[in-house]
Amino acid sequence: MKLQSLRGFRDILPAEAARWRRIEEAARAVTDAFGYAEIHLPILEATELFKRSVGEATDIVEKEMFSFLDRDKTAMSLRPEGTASCVRAGIENGLLHNQQQRFWYAGPMFRHERPQAGRYRQFHQIGVEAFGMAGPACDIEVIALSAALWSALGLEGLTLELNSLGSPECRAGYRTELQAYLRKHFDALDPDAQARVESNPLRVLDSKHPETRAVVADAPSMNAALDDASRAHFAAVCEGLDALGIRWVHNTNLVRGLDYYTHTVFEWTTDQLGAQGTVCAGGRFDGLVAQLGGGEVPAVGFALGIERLALLLGDAQDLGDHGPQVYVCWTGSECMTAAQRVGAALRSRRVRTVVNAGDGGFKAQFKRADRSGAQWAVIVGPDELAAGRVQIKSLRDRDAQQQTFPIDEAPAYLMQQLGIGGLSQ
């Protein structure tokens, strides 16, 4: 039997991992700038957590979760999304009662979906959640945070789609009205939409099926069902985004697939990834904390897909260089310890350094050094060791002369050549 990864699960190889690293570093810098603290959450949770939060009538719970019973017959699931886990952690650790909290997290999620480019059964998200702040200001803040991340990554061409689901009362009233309309046009809907008419009718609004979209085009408008307070909240969000210069479009059919959303919902979309055009999505979920056993705590957040952002970054962008800058070559067992000490001295000065390991003479080591992408080679041989010196050779400038330095002076010279400063020797 040939061993290989499971369907929908894949390896992230070094070339792509460089894009992931850039995304994660940018996310850390932007969330720090906005005052969000990092939280780490379990991959495995009680199945009941997702049934109570996401909704039993959603595709995630009905079809997509990886769920099983453990040896104690406890029902548990690999997390399909991060918000429910973040709320559970906040309640369990007493972080949400009469407090304001701003969190962010990153990690794998799991859904048993049909794999496509940018969508896998194990996928990775960065999530941002803010608790304890009612009103439109925090909606504006989390959307501005997402926009700042695109700027930090140098991404252009993303479209912000915005809508309001209003209060729970507005949503409930609209649900009844929409169901009545869809029942009248039931035979014109595609099978998936027909299955949702009774269980989750709002999901019919974002159907991609042509016949269903034709029915939805004449459906009652969610915006017409909003009360005055919901209209005012949405208008304030729109005005705040305008004031920050964040462009948006109003998508009246944007509903999001999870039951816990209220008021503002949004998506950042692109036309560069085919059918998987949503890069980031979120909104306000004021009732979820109470739904999971906490108090009445307002909340808003979003999640973005790392795989899809990595596809958008592509290979052409400057992703930064995380490979070695210096490769230390040595020969002769007596030179091994000296080479390791040179490597340690360089690394302590933040010079990315590989010290040769394994067999091979200098010719083979130079080939390895060149393939590694290092700019400089440091050579420690028996003659150099006896003289207390090393040789330094440029791997990128073939015309440069090889130079000899005392061992203690080599790090300073290489730092100067690499433009690294600010640390004492």
Side-chain angles (χ1 to χ4, degrees):
M1 175 184 175
K2 180 182 178 181
L3 293 176
Q4 58 187 35
S5 61
L6 298 171
R7 185 168 185 256
F9 295 76
R10 70 192 189 104
D11 306 303
I12 309 301
L13 301 180
E16 185 177 356
R19 295 196 291 274
W20 284 48
R21 177 168 176 165
R22 178 167 180 192
I23 292 166
E24 291 163 354
E25 288 176 347
R28 180 166 279 104
V30 171
T31 51
D32 281 353
F34 277 75
Y36 282 68
E38 186 172 8
I39 185 171
H40 293 266
L41 303 165
I43 291 174
L44 202 59
E45 297 270 15
T47 300
E48 184 64 20
L49 171 66
F50 302 112
K51 287 185 176 181
R52 288 173 61 182
S53 61
V54 174
E56 292 200 50
T58 60
D59 286 350
I60 293 176
V61 171
E62 290 182 336
K63 304 176 184 178
E64 297 170 1
M65 288 205 304
F66 287 91
S67 300
F68 57 93
L69 298 178
D70 73 354
R71 293 180 180 180
D72 298 324
K73 305 302 181 184
T74 301
M76 51 185 61
S77 299
L78 291 170
R79 62 186 184 194
E81 59 98 41
T83 299
S85 293
C86 193
V87 172
R88 191 268 314 145
I91 296 171
E92 183 176 340
N93 293 283
L95 302 176
L96 304 184
H97 180 64
N98 291 332
Q99 299 178 66
Q100 293 186 351
Q101 299 286 0
R102 291 172 167 87
F103 299 131
W104 79 278
Y105 52 85
M109 312 292 167
F110 303 85
R111 295 186 192 177
H112 196 280
E113 298 183 282
R114 183 169 63 87
Q116 299 179 28
R119 185 175 76 181
Y120 305 95
R121 290 176 175 176
Q122 177 178 318
F123 57 101
H124 299 76
Q125 290 186 338
I126 293 171
V128 166
E129 318 285 5
F131 298 95
M133 290 160 274
C138 201
D139 303 32
I140 298 165
E141 176 180 290
V142 298
I143 295 173
L145 190 158
S146 63
L149 180 56
W150 314 147
S151 178
L153 290 170
L155 290 176
E156 298 179 348
L158 294 176
T159 299
L160 173 61
E161 300 183 12
L162 204 62
N163 196 26
S164 174
L165 299 180
S167 66
E169 294 76 19
C170 295
R171 181 170 173 157
Y174 177 66
R175 187 180 190 276
T176 300
E177 184 181 5
L178 179 62
Q179 273 183 319
Y181 172 82
L182 294 175
R183 288 175 186 139
K184 292 179 182 178
H185 299 85
F186 189 83
D187 292 340
L189 301 174
D190 69 274
D192 283 344
Q194 289 177 344
R196 289 171 172 158
V197 168
E198 300 304 324
S199 62
N200 197 355
L202 270 67
R203 285 302 312 278
V204 178
L205 295 177
D206 61 8
S207 171
K208 304 300 186 289
H209 196 280
E211 285 77 8
T212 299
R213 290 179 67 88
V215 173
V216 166
D218 296 321
S221 169
M222 176 75 229
N223 295 98
L226 298 180
D227 57 27
D228 290 343
S230 298
R231 292 178 192 278
H233 183 107
F234 187 61
V237 171
C238 297
E239 290 169 8
L241 296 176
D242 289 341
L244 293 175
I246 299 173
R247 302 175 69 176
W248 55 275
V249 296
H250 190 183
N251 179 356
T252 57
N253 287 335
L254 177 60
V255 296
R256 302 298 304 131
L258 309 181
D259 284 354
Y260 52 61
Y261 283 111
T262 59
H263 290 292
T264 309
V265 289
F266 65 91
E267 291 184 356
W268 286 93
T269 61
T270 178
D271 59 5
Q272 301 176 47
L273 299 179
Q276 303 305 312
T278 301
V279 174
C280 170
R284 181 164 280 280
F285 48 96
D286 288 346
L288 183 58
V289 177
Q291 191 175 318
L292 294 180
E296 295 293 336
V297 179
V300 60
F302 68 75
L304 61 87
I306 295 179
E307 282 86 351
R308 295 183 189 179
L309 276 187
L311 285 172
L312 283 178
L313 284 177
D315 297 320
Q317 288 206 29
D318 177 13
L319 299 175
D321 183 8
H322 301 292
Q325 296 164 301
V326 175
Y327 196 103
V328 182
C329 305
W330 58 273
T331 185
S333 58
E334 71 277 14
C335 296
M336 181 180 67
T337 300
Q340 292 287 355
R341 287 175 177 167
V342 170
L346 288 165
R347 292 171 187 140
S348 71
R349 292 160 170 81
R350 299 182 186 172
V351 178
R352 300 191 301 274
T353 304
V354 167
V355 177
N356 185 72
D359 297 332
F362 280 132
K363 184 175 180 181
Q365 292 184 44
F366 285 143
K367 287 182 178 179
R368 291 175 195 159
D370 190 50
R371 286 197 298 269
S372 78
Q375 297 167 253
W376 296 88
V378 175
I379 303 157
V380 185
D383 292 342
E384 287 81 14
L385 181 63
R389 304 174 77 84
V390 296
Q391 294 189 60
I392 297 178
K393 174 182 175 62
S394 172
L395 295 170
R396 302 300 157 213
D397 184 355
R398 304 301 182 188
D399 297 326
Q401 294 295 312
Q402 191 165 300
Q403 300 187 62
T404 303
F405 287 87
I407 289 178
D408 292 342
E409 296 179 14
Y413 174 77
L414 287 166
M415 290 173 66
Q416 181 183 35
Q417 297 303 309
L418 293 165
I420 299 172
L423 291 178
S424 63
Q425 297 185 42

